[in-house]
Amino acid sequence: MSGPVYIEDIHRHVGQGVTIRGWLRNKRSSGKLQFLIVRDGTGDIQAVVNKATVGEEQFARSSALTQESSLIVSGTVRQDARAHGGFELDVTSIEPLQIADPFPIQPKEHTTGFLMEHRHLWLRSSRQTAILRIRHEIIRACRSFFDDRGFVLVDAPIFTPNACEGTTTLFQTDYFDEKAYLTQSGQLYSEATAAALGKVYCFGPTFRAEKSKTRRHLMEFWMVEPEVAFAELPDIMELAEEFLSSIVQRVLAVRRAELMLLERDLSKLERIQKPFPRITYEEAVARLQQKGNPIQLGEDFGGDEETLLSQEFDRPVIVHRYPAAMKAFYMQNDPVRPDLALCMDVLAPEGYGEIIGGGQRIHEYDKLLARIHEHKLPESAFRWYLDLRRYGSVPHAGFGMGIERAVAWICGLDHVRETIPFPRMLYRLYP
């Protein structure tokens, strides 16, 4: 008999004796036979315990197992097209490691509050593990996309010394004798590293102290943010198209089984190919008004507006050139229409809303300084950021994609709370 193997590799051991270490998902009995569904984190397999084969003592051990008990089980791998995964294990021995207490989560309806209170246990369900595998694949696809195109990963700090856009959505903390804030974005620091390395991306947690309870908001989420020197708005829109198309196709290729377990409509994901439709902010407002939405020019889109717009298209839509007045201080103006910013949002289809936001940055020193003053931001806190415009400044652009919103869209989830192992939401800090 070989050493311990993982269930995902069980197809390589047909006819061989193997040992599996895992947990009991569930079991059923039929006289002198017991059927154990064992999981090990890589997959599930049915282990068949025959009393005539294992004897009274081993059969009694199997009988004592409860849901989520940990165990080591040995046996011979048998191919069976009727079995889950196509293979079964004919058990020769069982070694319980810990007999679990009655498991709180049973195969019945539970409230969302109950499941969130037991999130540390809910993660073990096949649905949640499928989501987390897809999340892992999306993250891997993000890194591969940029790595393969010569981008350099450069980590941005979590603690920042200044409130870039006001303190209302920033988490403040003490930093020895100073005040510090948890980062909302690594963008400003990525601009500095892009001037050193040309093409960079940062990838890490970001924080928003927004008192929002919508299905799209978390207090802590992960963002991947590329920044490119010598790039302008059209360049970064094209990069976003290639990026999203690449991610979706990678997940379809590698995690199709998990998507099917989630009952995701794969045909909708298979349509995610570039080019994406592109409309201006003003065109978007006109479309919304035609649908009866009361939005007026100069007003920003909320969840309802993003949902309405995205439902018109079978793939992401890029909305660009929003009014400069509603955008951040660092956004470059359109040279033809200075009242507009050279920015863009990518709205996911099926009502999932904004998953990417970005644009071209101001690269002129005087213009950036004036904008800092207009926004009543402390010039002293941005000396280093202004320096980037004094020493070899060039046009540059970038964007940020929230991982959790991308996971929700690709998995077809109703709420972002299932997209990260331990979500931080308004009034939810436990577990």
Side-chain angles (χ1 to χ4, degrees), residues 1-7 9-10 12-13 16-21 40 72-75 77 89:
M1 181 175 293
S2 64
V5 301
Y6 287 107
I7 292 171
D9 298 323
I10 208 73
R12 300 174 183 164
H13 299 275
Q16 299 175 12
V18 300
T19 297
I20 292 171
R21 300 173 296 191
D40 71 348
I72 298 174
V73 59
S74 299
V77 179
L89 187 70

Side-chain angles (χ1 to χ4, degrees), residues 189-357:
Y189 295 95
S190 288
E191 290 183 54
T193 56
L197 294 159
K199 296 184 293 185
V200 301
Y201 71 103
C202 66
F203 196 179
T206 53
F207 306 86
R208 302 283 167 90
E210 293 178 292
K211 290 194 173 180
S212 173
K213 294 180 72 174
T214 78
R215 66 188 182 94
R216 299 176 182 173
H217 285 86
L218 293 172
M219 304 300 107
E220 175 187 331
F221 60 97
W222 287 69
M223 274 225 291
V224 57
E225 301 177 87
E227 197 75 25
V228 185
F230 300 100
E232 299 183 352
L233 181 61
D235 304 307
I236 217 67
M237 288 197 289
E238 185 175 346
L239 184 69
E241 286 178 332
E242 292 179 1
F243 177 60
L244 280 181
S245 300
S246 171
I247 290 171
V248 173
Q249 296 311 312
R250 167 79 165 264
V251 173
L252 277 169
V254 180
R255 296 296 174 188
R256 185 170 289 261
E258 285 83 358
L259 290 169
M260 291 176 68
L261 186 149
L262 297 174
E263 299 181 340
R264 184 64 163 109
D265 186 342
L266 302 185
S267 66
K268 292 182 177 179
L269 294 179
E270 287 163 351
R271 298 189 193 107
I272 309 303
Q273 305 275 358
K274 66 173 190 175
F276 297 165
R278 301 181 184 184
I279 59 174
T280 66
Y281 164 84
E282 292 177 353
E283 290 169 341
V285 168
R287 285 173 179 260
L288 289 167
Q289 290 174 342
Q290 288 170 5
K291 289 176 173 289
N293 187 279
I295 192 169
Q296 299 297 311
L297 286 172
E299 296 176 356
D300 204 355
F301 300 149
D304 292 343
E305 288 75 26
E306 291 176 354
T307 297
L308 274 174
L309 277 174
S310 68
Q311 287 173 343
E312 289 193 29
F313 305 94
D314 66 354
R315 64 197 67 199
V317 56
I318 301 177
V319 183
H320 57 95
R321 290 175 169 80
Y322 287 71
M326 70 172 63
K327 289 300 179 180
F329 74 96
Y330 48 72
M331 283 292 188
Q332 183 64 280
N333 301 90
D334 187 323
V336 178
R337 289 273 308 275
D339 59 317
L340 302 180
L342 293 178
C343 63
M344 60 104 182
D345 287 343
V346 183
L347 309 183
E350 304 175 71
Y352 279 93
E354 180 198 339
I355 52 172
I356 283 179

Side-chain angles (χ1 to χ4, degrees), residues 114-267:
F114 177 88
L115 291 171
M116 292 307 301
E117 193 77 6
H118 294 85
R119 181 63 176 166
H120 52 296
L121 302 177
W122 188 23
L123 291 174
R124 303 181 186 187
S125 72
S126 56
R127 172 184 169 86
Q128 298 306 312
T129 55
I131 293 169
L132 293 184
R133 287 185 181 281
I134 293 169
R135 176 191 174 93
H136 162 75
E137 203 61 49
I138 290 170
I139 290 172
R140 191 162 67 154
C142 291
R143 291 185 180 276
S144 295
F145 178 87
F146 292 119
D147 293 347
D148 293 346
R149 286 160 178 77
F151 283 70
V152 178
L153 173 65
V154 183
D155 298 316
I158 302 298
F159 290 118
T160 61
N162 49 275
C164 297
E165 300 174 42
T167 59
T168 55
T169 60
L170 282 152
F171 285 104
Q172 181 177 300
T173 185
D174 291 326
Y175 194 81
F176 302 104
D177 295 329
E178 298 180 70
K179 294 294 183 187
Y181 304 91
L182 299 183
T183 183
Q184 290 182 314
S185 164
Q187 177 209 313
L188 304 191
Y189 295 95
S190 288
E191 290 183 54
T193 56
L197 294 159
K199 296 184 293 185
V200 301
Y201 71 103
C202 66
F203 196 179
T206 53
F207 306 86
R208 302 283 167 90
E210 293 178 292
K211 290 194 173 180
S212 173
K213 294 180 72 174
T214 78
R215 66 188 182 94
R216 299 176 182 173
H217 285 86
L218 293 172
M219 304 300 107
E220 175 187 331
F221 60 97
W222 287 69
M223 274 225 291
V224 57
E225 301 177 87
E227 197 75 25
V228 185
F230 300 100
E232 299 183 352
L233 181 61
D235 304 307
I236 217 67
M237 288 197 289
E238 185 175 346
L239 184 69
E241 286 178 332
E242 292 179 1
F243 177 60
L244 280 181
S245 300
S246 171
I247 290 171
V248 173
Q249 296 311 312
R250 167 79 165 264
V251 173
L252 277 169
V254 180
R255 296 296 174 188
R256 185 170 289 261
E258 285 83 358
L259 290 169
M260 291 176 68
L261 186 149
L262 297 174
E263 299 181 340
R264 184 64 163 109
D265 186 342
L266 302 185
S267 66

